Amino acid sequence: MTLGGRAGTTGPSGNQRRTLRGKVFSHMTMSLDGYIAQPDDQVGELFDWYEAGDVVVPNPNEDISVKVDEAGAEAWRDLTENTGALVAGRRLFDIAGGWNDRHPAGAPVVVVTHRPPADAAGKWPATTFVDGVEAAIQRAKQIAGDRNVTIASANVTQQALALGLVDEVCVSLVPVLFGEGIPYFSKLEGGHLLLDDPIVIQGRRALHLRYPVRC
């Protein structure tokens, strides 16, 4: 979930934030050794930062509570306040139960899948199912308008990076080593991908990083 600055950090000013409209971001919470889940798809300690403070961050899904430190709240707002649509993979969608059609980021979700659920229209009316990453991001842009699109699945991010569709790579880096699991990144078919220097927020139980992708 799908990052601004404060004393001791580097972050975008209000004017800089306005320039981020209409971009495509990827964001995942990641262990220090690069994993976004354990081999069994469980997140382990990765989401501890969602309960690491006293600032309650409202979200439209009453089943999910976010209570973070002030830096984490700022990171959350910067990741969600201008998000017009999210793109997720079918695997994550199924694990999350479709977020009950109310993603905590407060934006409609576009799911990449070759086989939409048979009861999709009735059970998840606010969710769109699209065949293919490029088509899903295009549909998400149409939904988002001049707002941002956030990719919230590792495999979709990997494909989107290979297609040159990502403007910024965002990571909430958690102080834990998994040793094995599901990686955020994978082999790049086109070789090295250069990123610019990160925008950084030091939060409690997570270091929030945003790396613009070099054109």
Side-chain angles (χ1 to χ4, degrees), residues 52-145:
D54 301 318
V55 181
V56 176
V57 181
N59 79 81
N61 191 325
E62 64 272 13
D63 297 329
I64 298 175
S65 173
V66 180
K67 195 173 181 182
V68 296
D69 65 318
E70 291 207 11
E74 185 175 358
W76 178 277
R77 286 191 294 269
D78 281 347
L79 285 167
T80 61
E81 67 182 3
N82 197 40
T83 297
L86 289 102
V87 179
R90 178 62 184 273
R91 181 177 180 180
L92 176 60
F93 175 84
D94 288 343
I95 291 170
W99 301 279
N100 293 325
D101 214 32
R102 295 186 303 278
H103 194 281
V109 178
V110 177
V111 178
V112 180
T113 180
H114 299 301
R115 295 184 179 180
D119 55 349
K123 194 170 183 180
W124 297 287
T127 301
T128 304
F129 298 88
V130 176
D131 185 355
V133 169
E134 189 167 9
I137 291 176
Q138 183 60 36
R139 181 68 183 114
K141 285 182 175 181
Q142 293 171 352
I143 294 170

Side-chain angles (χ1 to χ4, degrees), residues 1 14-15 20 32 39 48-49 61 71 77 89 100 111-112 119 124-125 131 134 179 184 189 191 207 211 215:
M1 285 178 282
N15 287 336
L20 299 179
L32 186 59
D48 286 358
W49 72 274
N61 191 325
R77 286 191 294 269
N100 293 325
V111 178
V112 180
D119 55 349
W124 297 287
D131 185 355
E134 189 167 9
Y184 188 178
E189 296 298 331
L207 180 66
Y211 293 89
C215 298

